[in-house]
């Protein structure tokens, strides 16, 4: 098998390739997470297709997997790449039995709807052919190959739709609500349907109830790796007893030493136990197993940043940047990677220009996230790029129209830019009224009252008021006493 093969090192876990349209990425995230919870990694382009990898080779690798999970939507049925993956898989003799189809908001059971897709591909094929008729075939060989592929899809789409309508399908909504029970029962990985039982336990809302039920299952099947995995997973997210989570993960990894997901969770547990060396060493082992896994690089970069900042570990932010940049190359559309990279540049290296570039990239990829705006506005204001700061504030307000942090950034901008100092002071007062527990607002406002108006009395009164409504009394009291001495 080539590098895209996803056969798990545990023999009882199938390899699964997911074929889907990027328009459905968020829903596919839910599917991937459900499979992860039962210890199965899905081969997916955003995880397994690396920078400069060959896309056709990746698509052909679908044949080397035990199953192909299809996320069938309107976008899927109009995607050349998706249907090419399906065509590749259909070359297997038993491909019907190895398909795991899920449909979402698409009516393939109505003949009129099916005809629309047949016409879509027929028109697409005819359009390409008409364009090629006016070109020199010696100069358009690649385009001719594409046209042949489109023509093949056009000829095959009717049979594919008929295959689906003849099959008992399940909707994404029903799958998600049942924690994908139907799929795991079909896979029949464990005779006792342990995966289905774990998914039922996972659907419970009460964490204590989950732990009690998984303990019962563990007593019944003490040698089952999947139960041990989920038991350790629950302890990891609970955080009340990280030492117990550590013991469980180490037990699991003795049986499955190259499970990178388990190594990732154990690294997370070590961080909670304030053992940074063990956390980094454990995640490094995962990277030795999968050196091109961009998710692992992202986690390593985030981990190195946190342990360097919180534990003075090695005092080397450059390594964090290295791993996060590698993650960004592996998945250039992941907004969170660029946000975390901005955090390292800002908090670790005080490299404001680099941080700003990362925050702006993160905003471009996902404009409805708060913190990149906050940091960007602060940097632009500090660097006196007031026009850019004002534009960023307006953009942020379009997504967060009455957000405390955005309003505070705006008030600071109005004062620092001297655009309207009085309005800035008034806005700070409005924030203290609307968000009375925002103790940093009181401190900022008191600072400006002293600096701009020499008004010690109002600043002291403001801080005394803050002491009555927030928990951070020691911090405020220290600042208050300092103001009284200055006065």
């Amino acid at each position: 098998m080539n590098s895209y093969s996803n056969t798990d090192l545990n023999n009882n876990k199938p390899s699964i390739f997911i074929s889907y349209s990027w328009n459905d990425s968020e829903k596919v995230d839910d599917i991937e997470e459900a499979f992860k919870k039962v210890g199965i990694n899905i081969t997916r382009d955003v995880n397994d297709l690396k920078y400069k990898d060959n896309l056709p080779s990746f698509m052909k690798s679908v044949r080397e997997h035990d199953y192909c999970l299809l996320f069938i939507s309107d976008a899927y049925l109009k995607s050349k790449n998706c249907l090419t993956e399906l065509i590749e898989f259909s070359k297997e003799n038993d491909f019907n039995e190895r398909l795991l189809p899920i449909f979402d908001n698409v009516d393939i059971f109505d003949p009129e709807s099916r005809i629309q897709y047949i016409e879509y591909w027929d028109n697409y094929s005819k359009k390409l052919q008409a364009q090629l008729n006016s070109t020199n075939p010696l100069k358009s060989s690649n385009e001719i190959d594409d046209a042949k592929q489109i023509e093949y899809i056009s000829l095959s789409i009717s049979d594919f739709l008929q295959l689906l309508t003849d099959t008992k399908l399940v909707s994404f909504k029903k799958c998600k609500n049942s924690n994908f029970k139907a799929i795991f029962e079909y896979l029949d990985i464990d005779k006792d349907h342990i995966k289905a039982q774990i998914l039922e336990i996972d659907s419970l809302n009460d964490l204590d109830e989950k732990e009690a039920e998984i303990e019962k299952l563990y007593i019944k099947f003490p040698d089952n790796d999947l139960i041990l995995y989920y038991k350790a997973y629950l302890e990891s997210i609970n955080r009340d007893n990280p030492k117990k989570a550590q013991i469980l993960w180490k037990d699991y990894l003795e049986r499955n030493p190259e499970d990178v997901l388990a190594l990732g969770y154990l690294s997370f547990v070590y961080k909670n136990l304030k053992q940074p060396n063990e956390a980094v060493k454990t995640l490094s082992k995962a990277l030795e197993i999968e050196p091109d896994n961009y998710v692992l690089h992202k986690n390593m970069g985030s981990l190195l940043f946190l342990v360097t900042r919180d534990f003075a570990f090695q005092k080397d932010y450059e390594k964090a940047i290295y791993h996060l940049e590698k993650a960004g190359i592996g998945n250039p559309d992941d907004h969170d990677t660029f946000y975390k990279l901005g955090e390292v540049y800002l908090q670790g290296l005080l490299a404001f220009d680099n941080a700003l570039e990362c925050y702006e990239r993160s905003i471009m990829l996902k404009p409805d996230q708060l913190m990149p705006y906050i940091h960007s506005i602060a940097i632009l204001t500090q660097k006196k790029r007031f026009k850019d700061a004002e534009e960023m504030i307006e953009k942020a307000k379009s997504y967060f129209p009455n957000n405390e942090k955005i309003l505070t950034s705006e008030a600071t901008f109005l004062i620092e830019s001297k655009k309207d100092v009085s309005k800035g002071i008034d806005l700070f007062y409005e924030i203290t009224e609307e968000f009375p527990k925002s103790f940093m607002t009181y401190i900022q406002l008191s600072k400006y009252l002293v600096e701009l108006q020499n008004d010690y009395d109002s600043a002291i009164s403001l801080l005394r008021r803050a002491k009555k409504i927030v928990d951070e009394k020691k911090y405020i009291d220290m600042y208050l006493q300092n103001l009284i001495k200055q006065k």
Side-chain angles (χ1 to χ4, degrees):
M1 293 188 177
N2 66 24
S3 60
Y4 302 118
S5 176
N6 195 32
T7 300
D8 200 290
L9 290 168
N10 301 322
N11 292 329
N12 65 332
K13 297 178 182 178
S15 60
I16 298 175
F17 183 106
I18 187 162
S19 179
Y20 70 103
S21 164
W22 278 17
N23 290 357
D24 304 311
S25 291
E26 290 187 6
K27 293 177 180 178
V28 172
D29 288 344
D30 293 336
I31 296 173
E32 185 177 14
E33 184 62 27
F35 275 79
K36 280 183 180 179
K37 286 179 180 177
V38 293
I40 299 176
N41 283 330
I42 291 179
T43 298
R44 180 180 176 187
D45 49 8
V46 296
N47 298 336
D48 299 279
L49 188 62
K50 310 304 178 189
Y51 177 63
K52 295 191 74 175
D53 274 350
N54 185 271
L55 180 59
S57 295
F58 176 78
M59 293 161 66
K60 289 179 180 178
S61 74
V62 64
R63 298 180 63 183
E64 299 173 0
H65 290 69
D66 297 323
Y67 295 94
C68 178
L69 196 156
L70 310 179
F71 192 92
I72 303 161
S73 64
D74 179 70
Y76 185 94
L77 294 174
K78 293 178 179 178
S79 166
K80 175 197 167 190
N81 285 346
C82 292
L83 294 181
T84 298
E85 288 170 349
L86 178 64
I87 289 168
E88 281 296 332
F89 198 65
S90 70
K91 294 175 183 177
E92 298 296 303
N93 292 331
D94 56 348
F95 90 103
N96 283 9
E97 290 73 25
R98 293 162 59 193
L99 285 181
L100 304 175
I102 298 174
F103 71 93
D104 182 61
N105 296 325
V106 61
D107 187 3
I108 57 175
F109 302 100
D110 175 44
E112 292 185 6
S113 297
R114 294 200 300 272
I115 289 172
Q116 289 179 3
Y117 292 110
I118 295 170
E119 290 178 342
Y120 172 85
W121 287 104
D122 186 46
N123 292 336
Y124 190 3
S125 178
K126 289 177 179 176
K127 180 181 177 181
L128 280 182
Q129 191 58 52
Q131 291 174 333
L132 285 171
N133 287 339
S134 61
T135 63
N136 185 338
L138 296 177
K139 297 180 179 180
S140 54
S141 58
N142 292 329
E143 288 69 25
I144 290 172
D145 289 340
D146 282 342
K148 288 180 180 178
Q149 185 69 14
I150 297 300
E151 183 181 15
Y152 187 81
I153 292 173
S154 173
L155 295 172
S156 306
I157 186 70
S158 176
D159 291 339
F160 169 56
L161 292 172
Q162 187 62 50
L163 169 67
L164 292 178
T165 56
D166 291 342
T167 304
K168 171 65 176 175
L169 299 180
V170 63
S171 69
F172 169 72
K173 182 178 181 180
K174 185 175 181 179
C175 260
K176 186 175 179 181
N177 290 341
S178 66
N179 287 303
F180 301 88
K181 180 178 178 180
I183 293 179
F184 286 111
E185 284 186 345
Y186 177 79
L187 293 175
D188 197 21
I189 296 166
D190 300 288
K191 291 182 179 178
D192 297 293
H193 301 298
I194 288 174
K195 280 185 171 57
Q197 293 179 63
I198 290 176
L199 285 170
E200 287 180 8
I201 293 171
D202 189 60
S203 68
L204 299 172
N205 294 321
D206 187 88
L207 184 58
D208 291 335
E209 190 177 356
K210 286 183 181 182
E211 291 178 341
E213 291 300 319
I214 201 66
E215 186 65 32
K216 291 178 187 176
L217 205 58
Y218 183 67
I219 292 171
K220 187 177 179 182
F221 303 102
D223 297 324
N224 186 278
D225 287 351
L226 191 54
I227 297 171
L228 179 58
Y229 180 98
Y230 188 73
K231 185 174 169 65
Y233 165 77
L234 283 182
E235 290 294 342
S236 299
I237 63 173
N238 189 359
R239 297 194 184 188
D240 289 341
N241 193 349
K243 190 67 179 177
K244 184 177 179 182
Q246 176 198 357
I247 293 169
L248 290 170
W249 282 122
K250 290 180 78 172
D251 287 347
Y252 175 83
L253 284 163
E254 283 184 9
R255 306 180 195 177
N256 309 273
E258 296 193 347
D259 188 322
V260 294
L261 283 174
L263 287 166
Y265 279 119
L266 179 57
S267 173
F268 171 77
V269 169
Y270 276 129
K271 182 178 75 71
N272 290 338
L273 286 167
K274 298 184 178 180
Q275 298 180 31
N277 288 293
E278 291 299 322
V280 173
K281 185 167 70 174
T282 302
L283 201 54
S284 295
K285 184 176 179 181
L287 274 168
E288 288 174 7
I289 297 167
E290 294 189 10
D292 295 324
N293 187 319
Y294 86 87
V295 176
L296 290 178
H297 280 288
K298 175 182 174 180
N299 292 342
M300 178 61 91
S302 302
L303 174 64
L304 287 171
F305 168 59
L306 291 174
V307 299
T308 301
R309 185 190 66 184
D310 299 342
F311 301 103
F313 177 82
Q314 296 180 353
K315 296 184 179 179
D316 187 358
Y317 289 106
E318 296 296 340
K319 288 184 179 178
I321 289 173
Y322 165 77
H323 287 286
L324 286 169
E325 286 184 341
K326 193 153 187 175
I329 292 171
N331 185 8
D333 296 324
D334 181 24
H335 67 92
D336 189 52
T337 294
F338 291 97
Y339 171 70
K340 286 181 167 62
L341 190 55
E343 292 289 271
V344 181
Y345 276 120
L346 180 64
Q347 298 184 42
L349 300 178
L350 299 179
F352 298 108
D353 290 334
N354 298 83
L356 180 61
E357 184 179 350
C358 293
Y359 291 136
E360 289 178 336
R361 174 72 177 271
S362 183
I363 290 170
M364 180 192 73
L365 292 169
K366 192 174 189 297
D368 59 339
Q369 46 173 338
L370 176 63
M371 292 312 298
Y373 285 112
I374 300 301
H375 295 314
S376 296
I377 294 166
I379 293 172
L380 290 168
T381 301
Q382 181 180 342
K383 294 179 73 65
K384 301 188 183 305
R385 290 173 54 184
F386 296 126
K387 182 179 179 182
D388 293 333
E390 188 171 20
E391 289 177 358
M392 187 69 75
I393 289 169
E394 291 306 311
K395 185 175 181 180
K397 286 169 67 176
S398 70
Y399 290 98
F400 308 97
N402 194 37
N403 180 272
E404 167 199 345
K405 288 184 170 63
I406 297 296
L407 292 173
T408 301
S409 297
E410 183 179 15
T412 303
F413 159 76
L414 289 169
I415 294 171
E416 294 292 340
S417 67
K418 297 183 173 55
K419 180 177 182 179
D420 195 332
V421 173
S422 177
K423 183 178 178 181
I425 296 291
D426 290 342
L427 183 54
F428 266 120
Y429 273 114
E430 290 174 14
I431 297 167
T432 63
E433 294 298 326
E434 190 167 355
F435 305 98
K437 291 189 179 296
S438 176
F439 81 97
M440 286 304 299
T441 302
Y442 291 92
I443 293 175
Q444 280 184 271
L445 177 54
S446 65
K447 178 174 76 81
Y448 283 128
L449 288 172
V450 171
E451 289 179 359
L452 300 173
Q453 301 177 359
N454 203 32
D455 188 352
Y456 282 90
D457 290 335
S458 295
I460 291 168
S461 174
L462 201 65
L463 291 177
R464 283 174 174 162
R465 177 182 162 196
K467 279 184 63 176
K468 298 177 182 179
I469 56 177
V470 296
D471 297 327
E472 293 81 0
K473 291 181 173 57
K474 288 184 179 179
Y475 181 84
I476 292 180
D477 200 49
M478 179 178 66
Y479 189 70
L480 178 60
Q481 293 304 318
N482 188 45
L483 275 188
I484 293 172
K485 287 180 183 179
Q486 289 180 31
K487 179 184 176 183

